Amino acid sequence: MTDLTRMTPIEEILERYPAARQVFDRRGLHGCAGEQGPAETLEFFARVHGVDVDTLIAEIQTEMAKPAPKPYAYEATLADYIYRRFFKAGIAVVLTVGALWGAVNLLEIALRRNFLLLHLVPAIHAHAHAMIFGWCGLFVMGFAYQSFPRFKHTTLWRPDLANLTFYFMLTGIGARIGAELLAPDVLGLALGAVASATELATIGLFIAIILRTAQKSLEPHNPYEKFIFGALAWFLGQAILSDVFFFAKATAANQDELIHRIALLDGPLRDIQLLGFVAMIIAGVSQRFIPAVYQLGRPRQDRQSLIFWLMNASLLLDVASYVLTLTTRNPVFALGLETAFILMLIWAALLVRQLGVFAAPGERDRSWKFVHASYMWLLMAMVMLPFFPVYGILTHQYFAHSFMGAYRHAFTVGFVTLMIMGISARVVPILAGIDSNRLSALWGPFILLNLGNAGRVTLQILTDFVPRVAFPLVGFTGFLELAALAWWGVGLWRVMIASSARRITPVFVQAPVVGS
Ligand code: HEM
């Protein structure tokens, strides 16, 4: 193969010279797109895997020049396709207890014109738990098991244990949903204990697997990894606090105590989940993935460490100030809360600048608009946050629930969900060996999700001013989001099915003689 260039598709190289697979696998290709390899070019592979493209070409040419190349047997292993079960379960979760249940709850809120329906609290908390652990958690774990070892040019430590975490996590989520709905009954408490044990075991094992995988790697430590390890610590922290929250609610002596405990713990828990675990993992993965995949270039000034410490410090200040404001009613601590919100806006702006997501990308595909819009929603959410206390004062509310709900939705659906949709729309076809340019551009789900989200964010705030108009309309927004997620989810599922069809034909590939 003398015409090997940086623009040659990998599948073409592997078709003509199967032994080149060994070079690619050493550099992190293993399992990607089965035996045939992905449709992406050599240049893309080198960029995403952090390898110099000329070195890669030289390595392939050396392999090709060997007089009798070693025969190469390609066989997919559990570590190569484990991500698919996590992603499929994530889609199942978001379409059922996520968007569907959320939309039904929202419709009831709209019909009763009240966001503070006490009887809906267990259902809303079950929905929130399933979305953090099931939607975000499962996608994060699946992506980490697939990509982290490849980014580190090594293999996954103990794929069998990784597989166990899948079943543990599903057990935990199912048990917790039951527990939220049945507590304080004995069965509810028992399910809460099962959920706690299985989820803590899942997250503990997940962290151990990622750390051991990192230890196996000979690659030097990358600056973005501190975000990954920071996020893992918050992942465990939020799981512990989530259990404390559940048992605090389940053991409340009366309704007043229940409301007091929810008021004290719900805010810190959601902030740790969303701004600690979820935002930090997205920030880490973004820095490793987005500039390389979309050819955004390097930032003029690297502010990774500053962003990392701002994220952690603002979250700690936020949690401490919130608890102290509520328990002491001292306005000094409210200032701490406001400072934390401003620091959050600063890290979000710095992150966006660091990534260059508002510059024109060198390479764009159907997923780019999701990533771009996701960061717009992050900025929108973080701009809203410092206005939360001001809004409360202006509307004479101690806790402006509608504003907080709107901010949270801008974050969870705008930032987080668009990011999951975008990254998976880019990665899954590569892993399936399908050229994403031949797939749907996903404009339908993209427009529907943004419409639903924008409607929810504005209308939830407007319920404070024009409830007669805003409540009936906000009730529909959940169904727009559900339709968007179903549209995207079915498409992604079908790509994964095509991917598994490739896996079931592992063959023994005899390398051809060079020049034949
Ligand atoms: C996709 C459509 C979704 C719909 C229709 C929906 C609906 C809802 C509703 C009606 C509430 C209660 C709102 C309030 O009290 O202000 C809620 C709360 C919440 N949702 Fe969702 N949601 C969706 C997606 C998500 C996603 C993707 C996540 C996480 C990534 C998420 C996490 C949460 C959280 C953390 C809460 C707060 C629960 C609490 O008050 O403690 N939701 N959702």
Side-chain angles (χ1 to χ4, degrees):
M1 195 173 177
T2 51
D3 50 350
L4 180 65
T5 72
R6 40 178 72 208
M7 297 319 285
T8 313
I10 294 177
E11 62 182 353
E12 194 183 311
I13 300 172
L14 294 180
E15 191 190 341
R16 295 172 67 183
Y17 194 76
R21 177 105 215 180
Q22 291 162 97
V23 177
F24 287 117
D25 283 355
R26 269 203 311 273
R27 298 298 195 164
L29 182 75
H30 202 280
C32 176
E35 175 202 332
Q36 294 94 325
E40 273 64 29
T41 63
L42 197 62
E43 190 271 335
F44 179 85
F45 173 83
R47 200 169 359 112
V48 172
H49 288 261
V51 188
D52 175 56
V53 68
D54 293 323
T55 310
L56 194 62
I57 291 177
E59 285 179 8
I60 295 168
Q61 281 170 338
T62 309
E63 197 63 42
M64 286 158 69
K66 287 182 184 164
K70 269 195 281 173
Y72 186 66
Y74 175 79
E75 195 161 358
T77 64
L78 176 63
D80 299 328
Y81 53 83
I82 191 168
Y83 77 93
R84 281 204 292 267
R85 58 194 60 173
F86 281 87
F87 284 13
K88 285 179 180 170
I91 294 172
V93 167
V94 80
L95 292 183
T96 53
V97 287
L100 177 60
W101 205 2
V104 170
N105 288 336
L106 189 58
L107 189 61
E108 183 169 350
I109 288 168
L111 292 174
R112 293 176 186 255
R113 295 189 188 175
N114 187 356
F115 267 97
L116 298 168
L117 297 170
L118 212 54
H119 74 274
L120 271 189
V121 169
I124 287 172
H125 286 178
H127 151 86
H129 186 86
M131 293 307 269
I132 301 292
F133 285 71
W135 175 229
C136 304
L138 288 171
F139 262 88
V140 165
M141 291 170 74
F143 188 79
Y145 288 150
Q146 212 290 327
S147 298
F148 188 70
R150 285 159 181 87
F151 285 162
K152 299 287 291 174
H153 299 178
T154 185
T155 50
L156 185 67
W157 183 75
R158 296 287 304 267
D160 56 330
L161 285 184
N163 201 32
L164 193 65
T165 62
F166 174 72
Y167 296 102
F168 271 19
M169 191 58 139
L170 289 190
T171 309
I173 295 167
R176 179 63 177 265
I177 291 172
E180 291 282 356
L181 299 179
L182 295 173
D185 288 358
V186 179
L187 183 57
L189 291 173
L191 284 172
V194 171
S196 169
T198 45
E199 286 174 349
L200 289 177
T202 304
I203 296 171
L205 269 176
F206 171 60
I207 293 174
I209 292 165
I210 295 301
L211 290 180
R212 294 300 292 266
T213 302
Q215 275 171 3
K216 276 171 56 178
S217 169
L218 299 175
E219 283 285 294
H221 182 76
N222 274 297
Y224 80 90
E225 285 167 27
K226 58 178 163 300
F227 289 85
I228 307 293
F229 297 127
L232 295 183
W234 285 116
F235 194 16
L236 185 62
Q238 66 82 30
I240 296 168
L241 185 56
S242 171
D243 292 332
V244 171
F245 184 47
F246 171 76
F247 286 105
K249 287 185 296 178
T251 54
N254 52 47
Q255 203 179 77
D256 282 349
E257 195 169 69
L258 175 68
I259 292 171
H260 176 73
R261 288 181 177 186
I262 292 177
L264 187 67
L265 293 173
D266 187 75
L269 172 64
R270 302 306 174 207
D271 286 351
I272 288 174
Q273 291 177 325
L274 297 170
L275 299 161
F277 164 49
V278 182
M280 207 169 288
I281 200 93
I282 293 179
V285 171
S286 288
Q287 291 180 68
R288 174 65 182 79
F289 187 84
I290 290 177
V293 168
Y294 302 103
Q295 266 191 315
L296 292 167
R298 284 177 180 279
R300 253 181 261 141
Q301 207 174 345
D302 193 326
R303 294 205 172 90
Q304 283 197 41
S305 293
L306 176 62
I307 296 168
F308 177 73
W309 291 114
L310 272 177
M311 286 181 96
N312 285 294
S314 60
L315 182 53
L316 290 172
L317 181 63
D318 164 67
V319 170
S321 307
Y322 178 88
V323 172
L324 288 168
T325 307
L326 216 75
T327 46
T328 64
R329 304 259 161 177
N330 184 338
V332 172
F333 296 116
L335 278 180
L337 200 58
E338 185 62 18
T339 311
F341 293 159
I342 292 169
L343 291 178
M344 286 168 183
L345 173 59
I346 294 174
W347 72 242
L350 288 175
L351 180 63
V352 163
R353 206 180 144 88
Q354 169 92 5
L355 295 169
V357 275
F358 293 141
E363 188 171 317
R364 66 167 80 212
D365 75 330
R366 64 188 194 142
S367 64
W368 168 249
K369 55 184 170 294
F370 287 87
V371 172
H372 189 77
S374 160
Y375 272 105
M376 300 246 268
W377 278 112
L378 172 69
L379 285 185
M380 166 70 94
M382 296 324 232
V383 166
M384 286 174 77
L385 211 43
F387 287 102
F388 171 64
V390 183
Y391 182 89
I393 294 167
L394 291 179
T395 55
H396 311 290
Q397 301 178 69
Y398 184 70
F399 186 92
H401 185 97
S402 60
F403 192 91
M404 182 46 75
Y407 144 76
R408 216 169 252 160
H409 206 75
F411 191 96
T412 56
V413 175
F415 175 50
V416 178
T417 299
L418 277 173
M419 185 62 72
I420 295 177
M421 292 168 84
I423 299 288
S424 54
R426 183 71 188 105
V427 168
V428 171
I430 297 178
L431 299 178
I434 294 172
D435 182 356
S436 62
N437 293 317
R438 295 196 346 248
L439 297 170
S440 152
L442 294 176
W443 276 107
F446 178 75
I447 291 169
L448 280 179
L449 197 93
N450 279 291
L451 264 181
N453 193 35
R456 166 74 179 272
V457 173
T458 42
L459 290 165
Q460 186 158 357
I461 294 175
L462 285 177
T463 57
D464 279 342
F465 304 98
V466 278
R468 277 170 177 275
V469 183
F471 268 116
L473 290 175
V474 81
F476 286 105
T477 60
F479 294 99
L480 290 180
E481 292 168 341
L482 174 63
L485 283 160
W487 192 337
W488 159 88
V490 168
L492 199 72
W493 199 293
R494 288 177 61 188
V495 176
M496 286 191 276
I497 290 175
S499 179
S500 45
R502 282 184 155 211
R503 178 178 65 83
I504 53 172
T505 55
V507 289
F508 184 78
V509 180
Q510 176 67 49
V513 176
V514 178
S516 66

